């Protein structure tokens, strides 16, 4: 007994870290700080955020061994009732942008039901509480009903159906037909469902009919036409980020000429969007185009950092100085399209597409990772300035971000974007990386992620572990402490399809009917939910940084201390003593994010669910003095006083 109590006394007297938070003397903090990067990577857009449920709806290309291809196929479509399906190029096509269609050949003498079904993007979410709508373009002779329905591959049940009445002849050319909206009678037991279009075979016996832009949408976020998936948009909304870079990433650059992201080929009717081979292994339909992205950003209340292509393809091919002007002109047209009033040429085009009010753009990022494949020299020599000069002359208040450090323009205030990937230990080591940074050049970290545990560097870990998220949290504390010049950060990637990319990192991952919220997601939500408007100086007594790391900020009503315990002590005898100078508050809110151990990961609900937990408690102290005890050796804590 004697020995036990004296040990306790000993522990309490030496282990304690005391943090004195000053009430003033800090810097103004960036109001953006936590944001998003959007690019279509591993079905972030098609088969992800974009609400289209059918895969290969417009026969725009395919994917072979993980490489996007312009080879057209009927992949993901399957015949029903003895018909055959083939890619066809006979005239007329639905548009010059979509010159390939699917032909259904119905054998002579057919009498039963014929048609085809689609596999979706790893199945379909069939939800009896939501509305759906199907549509398609068809050319050929048919008078009768088209039955459209979800079929469960697990139970064999028809989960929900609708129908379309058609009376058309091939002389009418292409006719678009919409089903009535329908609410399924049953919710699918899982995502293993298919979607059918079926016809009266006797009407079609011995004939061929043609299809393009077949489509099924579930009710979208904010009920937008051609909009985004509700559950995924909700996930982004709930994270409380402040900005989004779009369309960022390597996907904008394109795998090689001429497949960079062309804004003008992603707007208007879906039949006018050719799509292109994406960088990350599959064709992009471009159904989720510039206006859809801008609309989503607006609906989510996010500031936009517009990514523009700056003349570098991912294979290292670069547009020469002599040939760059048309690309600059195209960007200027894009800006008029987004920002011009309805009496400008491109502003009028936007208005005609249903967006009468100009958008607001305060940030433009010129390129993406322009140092890749030897892009540096041409970026500094002419590429950056060609775009900078034209945009700056027309829109002097827009901030122009460089993708290489240093910014080619050295005027104070010129900002840049650093992309940071590495293992967990590297992220811990980055805690103080911005402490000595120049205060002249504001920085975005518009892509970052701890991609592996400990000091491992081979491959990537799928869903991030608690240890990796704590390491990211330590890095973010370093950003927040320096948020006078660190404008914001965004995790790379924002969203990926779990079926396709279970083994690489993303903030959230989705299947057709589920969402995996990683611990990194919860970390960023916690930090974004508790953002101050200014930093506060902290004086530490008893220990320095590590294993506990911290950052203090304040808004007009509260002092906010963020703490990360990285393989440190727990329990009240090791509690951090916090003193908020000048505060007389006797209660504080303590929010904790942790999981059973450093290797814990979150998973899809159907695969075990989440290991991480967030707990909110009220802490009682005395006049600005609080004692914060960690419950986990890896834990992220926010104290709001
Ligand atoms: C405020 O910024 C200066 C650099 O301009 C830095 O030295 C100082 O640590 C910052 N203060 C806080 C509380 O972050
Ligand atoms: C659906 O189940 C079948 C086996 O019955 C399987 O081959 C297929 O991969 C499953 N599809 C999805 C999307 O789960
Ligand atoms: C449609 O029917 C007409 C005769 O009514 C025929 O001439 C034409 O070839 C048919 N079209 C197709 C695509 O079979
Ligand atoms: C599910 O799909 C598989 C493969 O396509 C098929 O063989 C099986 O019959 C289907 N099961 C049901 C219940 O539809
Ligand atoms: C879109 O703009 C690019 C660049 O100006 C141009 O090469 C392309 O032909 C345009 N596409 C269409 C469909 O007008
Ligand atoms: C529309 O924009 C043009 C070009 O910027 C400008 O000259 C014109 O005054 C604007 N019209 C209105 C009504 O704001
Ligand atoms: C200040 O931050 C705290 C903690 O996030 C929050 O609860 C409070 O609403 C914020 N106050 C203001 C005025 O924004
Ligand atoms: C870590 O926690 C997870 C649950 O999140 C558990 O499955 C695993 O066994 C634990 N590992 C160790 C080494 O304790």
């Amino acid at each position: 007994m004697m020995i036990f109590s004296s040990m306790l006394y000993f522990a309490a007297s030496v282990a304690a870290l005391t943090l004195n938070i000053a009430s003033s003397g800090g810097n103004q903090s960036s109001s953006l700080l936590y944001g998003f990067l959007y690019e279509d990577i591993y079905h972030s857009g098609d088969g992800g955020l974009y609400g289209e449920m059918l895969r290969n709806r417009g026969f725009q290309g395919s994917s072979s061994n993980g490489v996007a291809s312009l080879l057209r196929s009927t992949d993901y479509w399957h015949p029903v009732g003895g018909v055959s399906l083939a890619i066809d190029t006979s005239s007329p096509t639905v548009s010059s942008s979509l010159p390939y269609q699917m032909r259904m050949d119905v054998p002579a003498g057919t009498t039963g039901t014929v048609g085809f079904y689609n596999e979706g993007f790893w199945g379909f979410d069939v939800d009896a509480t939501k509305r759906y709508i199907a549509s398609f373009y068809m050319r050929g002779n048919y008078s009768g009903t088209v039955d459209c329905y979800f079929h469960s591959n697990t139970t064999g049940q028809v989960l929900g159906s609708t129908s379309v009445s058609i009376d058309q002849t091939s002389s009418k050319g292409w006719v678009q037909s919409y089903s009535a909206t329908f609410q399924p009678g049953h919710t699918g037991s899982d995502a293993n469902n298919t979607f059918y279009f079926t016809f009266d075979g006797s009407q079609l016996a011995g004939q061929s009919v043609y299809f393009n832009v077949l489509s099924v949408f579930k009710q979208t976020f904010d009920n937008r036409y051609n909009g985004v998936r509700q559950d995924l948009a909700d996930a982004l909304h709930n994270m409380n980020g402040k900005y989004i870079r779009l369309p960022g990433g390597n996907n904008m650059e394109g795998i090689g000429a001429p497949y960079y992201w062309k804004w003008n080929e992603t707007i208007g009717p879906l039949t006018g969007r050719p799509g292109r081979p994406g960088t990350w292994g599959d064709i992009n339909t471009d159904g989720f185009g510039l206006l859809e992205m801008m609309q989503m950003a607006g609906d989510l209340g996010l500031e936009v950092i517009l990514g523009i292509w700056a003349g570098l393809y991912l294979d290292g091919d670069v547009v020469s100085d002599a040939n760059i002007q048309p690309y600059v002109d195209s960007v200027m047209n894009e800006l008029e399209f987004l920002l011009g009033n309805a009496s400008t040429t491109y502003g009028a085009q936007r208005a005609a597409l249903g967006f009468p009010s100009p958008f607001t753009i305060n940030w433009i990022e010129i390129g993406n990772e322009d140092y890749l494949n030897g892009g540096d020299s041409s970026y500094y020599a002419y590429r950056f300035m060609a775009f900078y000069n034209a945009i700056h002359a027309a829109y002097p208040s827009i901030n122009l971000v460089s993708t290489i450090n240093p910014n080619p323009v050295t005027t104070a205030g010129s900002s840049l974007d650093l992309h940071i990937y590495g293992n967990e230990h590297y992220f811990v080591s980055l805690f103080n990386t911005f402490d000595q940074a120049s205060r002249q050049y504001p920085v975005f970290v518009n892509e970052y992620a701890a991609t592996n545990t400990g000091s491992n560097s081979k491959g990537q870990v799928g869903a991030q572990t608690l240890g990796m998220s704590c390491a990211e949290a330590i890095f973010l504390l370093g950003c927040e402490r320096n948020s006078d010049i660190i404008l914001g950060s965004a995790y790379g990637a924002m969203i990926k399809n779990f079926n396709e990319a279970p083994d690489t990192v993303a903030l959230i991952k989705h299947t057709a009917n589920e969402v995996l919220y990683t611990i990194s997601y919860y970390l960023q939500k916690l930090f974004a939910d508790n953002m101050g408007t200014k930093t506060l100086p902290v004086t530490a007594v008893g220990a320095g940084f590590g294993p506990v790391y911290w950052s203090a900020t304040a808004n007009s009503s509260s002092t906010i201390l963020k703490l990360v315990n990285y393989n440190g002590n727990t329990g009240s005898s090791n509690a951090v003593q916090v003193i908020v100078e000048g505060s007389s508050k006797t209660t504080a809110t303590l929010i904790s994010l942790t999981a059973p151990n450093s290797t814990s990961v979150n998973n899809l609900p159907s695969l075990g669910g989440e290991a991480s937990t967030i707990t909110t408690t009220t802490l009682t102290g005395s006049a600005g003095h609080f004692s914060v005890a960690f419950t986990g050796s890896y834990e992220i804590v926010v104290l709001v006083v």
Side-chain angles (χ1 to χ4, degrees), residues 122-123 153 192:
W122 293 271
N153 188 271
N192 204 338

Side-chain angles (χ1 to χ4, degrees), residues 289-578:
L290 178 59
L291 286 174
E292 287 83 11
M293 291 181 211
M294 292 300 295
Q295 177 169 266
M296 180 184 79
D299 288 347
L300 294 173
L302 300 170
E303 173 97 39
V304 168
I305 302 183
L306 184 71
I308 58 163
W309 188 68
L312 171 72
Y313 292 100
L314 264 185
D315 62 3
D317 197 358
V318 158
V319 177
S320 71
D321 196 0
N323 292 328
I324 200 106
Q325 193 56 42
Y327 299 92
V328 175
D329 295 344
S330 174
V331 165
M332 298 314 289
N333 295 342
E334 177 182 2
L335 294 180
E336 186 178 286
F337 179 78
L338 293 172
L339 305 174
N341 64 40
S343 43
T344 62
T345 308
Y346 291 96
Q349 192 184 357
R350 181 201 65 239
L353 292 172
F355 294 82
S357 308
F359 294 98
T360 301
I361 305 264
N362 296 311
W363 299 91
I364 294 176
E365 184 154 336
I366 301 180
N368 173 74
E369 298 181 353
D370 286 83
Y371 44 81
L372 290 175
N373 296 312
D376 319 46
S377 54
S378 57
Y379 196 68
Y380 283 113
Y382 60 88
R383 289 195 294 117
F384 182 88
M385 289 314 297
F387 293 93
Y388 180 98
N389 286 335
I391 299 169
H392 189 63
Y395 305 96
S397 65
I398 294 183
N399 298 289
L400 298 165
V401 185
S402 165
T403 75
I404 310 190
N405 182 19
N407 191 313
V409 171
T410 53
T411 320
S414 304
S415 49
L416 53 96
D417 174 14
L418 301 177
H419 292 180
I420 304 177
Y421 293 97
N423 61 36
E424 181 180 328
H425 289 168
Y426 177 60
F427 267 79
V428 173
S429 79
L430 292 176
F431 172 70
N432 61 1
T433 194
F434 296 122
D435 289 357
Q436 272 73 49
S438 158
R439 269 33 212 176
Q440 306 246 3
Y441 305 112
V443 171
F444 280 107
V445 183
N446 276 338
E447 291 188 28
Y448 77 89
T451 52
N452 220 315
T453 53
S455 50
N456 295 320
S457 57
K458 282 217 180 91
Q460 292 194 12
V461 161
Q464 302 82 282
T465 65
L466 175 66
M468 290 160 73
S469 300
C470 284
E472 289 165 357
I474 291 166
F475 167 69
L476 292 176
L477 292 179
C479 293
E480 195 180 88
R481 272 156 47 87
N482 290 283
S483 55
D484 53 322
I485 52 143
I486 304 302
L487 296 165
S489 62
Y491 195 90
M494 177 171 87
I495 173 171
K496 285 176 184 167
N497 189 298
F498 179 84
N499 300 99
E500 183 174 27
D503 299 328
T504 61
V505 299
L507 203 52
I508 57 178
K509 292 190 183 182
H510 62 283
T511 62
N513 66 341
E514 291 188 86
V515 187
L516 191 173
Y517 299 84
T518 64
I519 303 179
S520 300
Y521 171 91
Y522 286 114
L523 150 67
Q524 287 177 61
K525 173 171 168 55
L526 182 61
F527 280 15
D529 280 348
N530 294 283
M531 240 173 82
T533 53
K534 62 179 180 186
T535 60
L536 290 175
V538 178
T539 309
V541 181
F545 292 116
V548 178
Y549 297 82
W550 59 85
S551 153
T553 59
N555 62 17
S556 59
S557 61
S558 309
T559 299
I560 304 163
L561 177 70
K562 299 187 175 80
L563 296 166
V564 178
N565 196 22
Y566 188 75
N567 199 16
N569 294 323
T570 60
S572 55
S573 57
N574 298 300
V576 178
Q577 305 306 316
V578 178

Side-chain angles (χ1 to χ4, degrees), residues 106 215 582:
V106 184
S215 173

Side-chain angles (χ1 to χ4, degrees), residues 97 260 262-265 272 274 326-327 329-331 333:
S97 300
Y260 72 99
K262 299 183 186 72
W263 72 274
N264 55 330
E265 297 185 355
Y327 299 92
D329 295 344
S330 174
V331 165
N333 295 342

Side-chain angles (χ1 to χ4, degrees), residues 117 151-156:
Y117 68 88
H151 176 262
S152 165
N153 188 271
T154 305
T155 65

